[in-house]
């Protein structure tokens, strides 16, 4: 198995593939002013195995297209939606978020939790805007500095991992510069990282290593993830995922 295949395998059979929670998804949903009677068209980009997709399907009247690059996650989502009787409301699409071919103004809502960084925040909000109706909403979570300054160690780490890491003020400015109006912002609590993402991941380390015969590459994948967790534990007061909810202007 390649490293990428191992990373996917480590993240399989988990509720979420990134920090987040039911509460966070519902809190972001609360900022939208959508007619509940409306038959909404929704895209969930970088859906993973669909922790948030299922919640959206339960709480919105409409149809959701869940998009992800990796079929392993979409298969899981399809299984879940079958079990829950939600297949009429959820379709999956295996495609890169960088290369979507939806129609202009097709969607009432574009959702994306913990995924837009794959193509960069500014690139993503620009590219996806065309698919959104005027007055439609974008709800997106993105790694965000939550203080004005921070220790060098964490600043250097994030700048090399993801150069677009920035404060909410600057992310909001980017939204405004690209014809979006902010309707809500909050950042994820530490529980959304630790209880909902890191602890369940750590519980999968041992069975994962066993499955892969404790191979060198499998051990590397675990070590890399543990290093990310250690860094979060040390610097969690300085960054989180910001959740941005914005409306596409006239
Ligand atoms: N929204 C989910 C998953 C977040 S993890 C959650 O919050 O639990 C990021 C997701 O983006 C993964 O499922 C990964 O497979 C997907 N991804 C990575 N690169 C992608 C790309 N270029 N296009 C579409 N999806 C991508």
């Amino acid at each position: 198995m390649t490293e990428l295949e191992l990373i996917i395998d480590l993240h399989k059979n988990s509720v979420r593939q990134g920090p987040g929670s039911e509460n966070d998804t519902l809190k972001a949903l609360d900022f939208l002013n959508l007619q509940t009677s409306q038959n909404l068209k929704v895209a969930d980009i970088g859906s993973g195995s669909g922790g948030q997709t299922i919640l959206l399907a339960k709480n919105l009247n409409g149809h959701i297209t869940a998009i992800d690059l990796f079929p392993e996650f979409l298969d899981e989502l399809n299984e879940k939606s079958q079990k829950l009787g939600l297949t009429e409301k959820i379709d999956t699409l295996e495609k890169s978020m960088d290369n979507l071919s939806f129609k202009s103004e097709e969607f009432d809502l574009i959702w994306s939790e913990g995924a837009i960084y794959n193509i960069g925040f500014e690139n993503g909000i620009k590219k996806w805007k065309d698919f959104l109706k005027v007055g439609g909403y974008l709800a997106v979570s993105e790694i965000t500095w939550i203080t004005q300054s921070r220790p060098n160690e964490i600043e250097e780490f994030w700048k090399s991992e993801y150069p677009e890491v920035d404060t909410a003020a600057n992310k909001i400015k980017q939204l405004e510069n690209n014809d979006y109006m902010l309707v809500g912002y909050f950042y994820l609590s530490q529980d959304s990282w630790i209880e909902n993402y890191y602890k369940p991941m750590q519980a999968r380390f041992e069975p994962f290593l066993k499955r892969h015969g404790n191979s060198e590459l499998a051990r590397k994948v675990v070590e890399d993830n543990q290093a990310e967790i250690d860094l979060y534990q040390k610097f969690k007061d300085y960054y989180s995922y910001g959740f941005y909810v914005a409306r596409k202007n006239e």
Side-chain angles (χ1 to χ4, degrees):
M1 264 197 188
T2 63
E3 186 168 352
L4 178 62
E5 285 166 337
L6 286 169
I7 293 170
I8 292 171
D9 188 67
L10 174 65
H11 284 93
K12 269 169 47 180
N13 299 313
S14 61
V15 178
R16 286 185 177 259
Q17 289 74 50
S21 72
E22 289 202 356
N23 270 347
D24 296 315
T25 301
L26 293 176
K27 201 193 273 188
L29 203 50
D30 236 21
F31 285 117
L32 310 187
N33 187 10
L34 291 166
Q35 303 289 355
T36 40
S37 59
Q38 219 179 321
N39 192 21
L40 300 168
K41 279 205 76 178
V42 182
D44 181 5
I45 304 183
S47 64
S49 67
Q52 71 291 315
T53 323
I54 298 287
L55 260 186
L56 294 175
K58 285 181 177 167
N59 286 279
L60 288 174
N61 178 19
H63 186 271
I64 305 171
T65 306
I67 302 127
D68 204 277
L69 192 56
F70 299 114
E72 292 87 342
F73 296 135
L74 296 176
D75 290 347
E76 274 186 43
L77 172 50
N78 281 322
E79 259 172 49
K80 278 187 225 168
S81 68
Q82 258 158 25
K83 270 193 199 133
L84 295 164
L86 291 169
T87 49
E88 304 251 300
K89 296 186 87 172
I90 301 174
D91 270 328
T92 55
L93 176 66
E94 182 189 329
K95 217 168 178 10
S96 176
M97 60 174 84
D98 207 12
N99 185 29
L100 299 171
S101 47
F102 296 117
K103 290 201 274 298
S104 212
E105 305 198 1
E106 186 167 338
F107 293 104
D108 298 285
L109 171 61
I110 294 180
W111 203 272
S112 182
E113 290 194 36
I116 197 170
Y117 71 88
N118 286 296
I119 58 166
F121 184 80
E122 192 157 29
N123 180 29
I125 62 170
K126 278 188 178 150
K127 277 219 159 99
W128 301 346
K129 190 175 65 181
D130 185 45
F131 307 136
L132 208 52
K133 289 179 189 162
V134 171
Y137 290 92
L138 172 73
V140 63
S141 71
E142 161 82 340
I143 198 88
T144 299
W145 295 130
I146 56 175
T147 57
Q148 275 309 307
S149 60
R150 59 215 64 94
N152 266 342
E153 186 184 344
I154 193 63
E155 174 116 27
E156 294 307 314
F157 171 80
W158 273 112
K159 285 226 160 117
S160 70
E161 283 291 302
Y162 182 55
E164 278 190 60
V165 60
D166 214 331
T167 57
N170 287 336
K171 296 281 167 193
I172 292 165
K173 199 171 281 171
Q174 283 180 347
L175 286 164
E176 289 170 348
N177 288 343
N178 285 286
D179 294 322
Y180 291 98
M181 181 182 77
L182 187 79
V183 298
Y185 169 75
F186 63 96
Y187 63 85
L188 268 50
S189 71
Q190 294 180 357
D191 271 359
S192 297
W193 290 73
I194 297 169
E195 300 300 324
N196 289 330
Y197 181 51
Y198 286 146
K199 279 193 184 166
M201 188 204 292
Q202 285 174 312
R204 295 194 303 275
F205 283 167
E206 218 183 283
F208 168 81
L209 288 171
K210 260 203 191 126
R211 241 183 354 262
H212 299 288
N214 210 28
S215 75
E216 196 181 327
L217 208 48
R219 274 183 282 131
K220 177 181 183 294
V221 168
V222 166
E223 278 160 22
D224 288 350
N225 278 282
Q226 185 58 50
E228 183 194 309
I229 297 172
D230 294 343
L231 209 66
Y232 179 74
Q233 288 291 1
K234 192 165 170 195
F235 294 113
K236 55 188 181 317
D237 293 334
Y238 301 98
Y239 63 97
S240 187
Y241 266 93
F243 217 129
Y244 302 83
V245 184
R247 196 163 180 264
K248 179 174 166 178
N249 290 333
E250 302 280 321

